[in-house]
Amino acid sequence: MKNRECLECGEPVKGRIDKKFCTDYCRNAYNNKVNKDSKNLIRNINNRLRKNYKILSELNTTGKVKVTRTKLYDRGFDFNFITSIYTTKTGNTYFYIYDQGYLALENETFLLIKKD
């Protein structure tokens, strides 16, 4: 019978023939190391989306309001992070972060809306 070693710590593995780790701790540590880069990317994107959503929610308390680009920038809004785009039949393009959206108007002004 072949001796199996834990993929994380190298200790002998006892139990089922397909078992790869000696403990749950080693299994979690190994998987956290393997997935570290992709999880960090996802975590960073989700944090940006959460921040953008919070900014739009705080500024748009009535469901529809106009704000300036400066007001959004001053609060830390990042226009590169959205969850969807909707283009109307008239050609207007709304950018959404979940149910909070914005439409670019003239003179660096934005219409903030909330989708019901």
Side-chain angles (χ1 to χ4, degrees):
M1 187 159 116
K2 182 181 166 193
N3 286 341
R4 293 168 292 131
E5 291 182 355
C6 176
L7 295 178
E8 176 64 16
C9 69
E11 291 291 318
V13 175
K14 295 177 182 142
R16 290 189 345 240
I17 194 140
D18 62 341
K19 195 171 176 184
K20 297 178 184 177
F21 304 98
C22 61
T23 63
D24 285 339
Y25 176 82
C26 282
R27 179 179 46 83
N28 285 329
Y30 178 84
N31 287 321
N32 285 339
K33 276 194 251 177
V34 168
N35 299 322
K36 182 180 176 186
D37 292 337
S38 64
K39 285 184 180 182
N40 280 340
L41 173 67
I42 292 167
R43 185 181 309 115
N44 290 338
I45 290 171
N46 284 336
N47 285 339
R48 284 301 323 160
L49 288 171
R50 192 176 301 112
K51 184 174 182 179
N52 278 354
Y53 184 83
K54 183 179 177 200
I55 292 167
L56 292 180
S57 296
E58 288 172 351
L59 292 173
N60 187 10
T61 56
T62 61
K64 191 182 264 190
V65 67
K66 289 183 183 179
V67 296
T68 62
R69 179 181 293 272
T70 306
K71 196 169 198 174
L72 291 169
Y73 270 135
D74 288 348
R75 290 179 176 239
F77 191 83
D78 190 338
F79 288 93
N80 294 314
F81 292 91
I82 59 171
T83 57
S84 63
I85 299 173
Y86 174 72
T87 304
T88 64
K89 292 178 184 176
T90 59
N92 292 330
T93 302
Y94 290 85
F95 299 92
Y96 282 94
I97 295 118
Y98 306 114
D99 64 337
Q100 295 286 341
Y102 61 91
L103 169 68
L105 304 172
E106 66 256 354
N107 299 328
E108 300 288 306
T109 305
F110 292 88
L111 175 66
L112 305 184
I113 60 164
K114 183 172 182 175
K115 191 175 5 178
D116 291 327

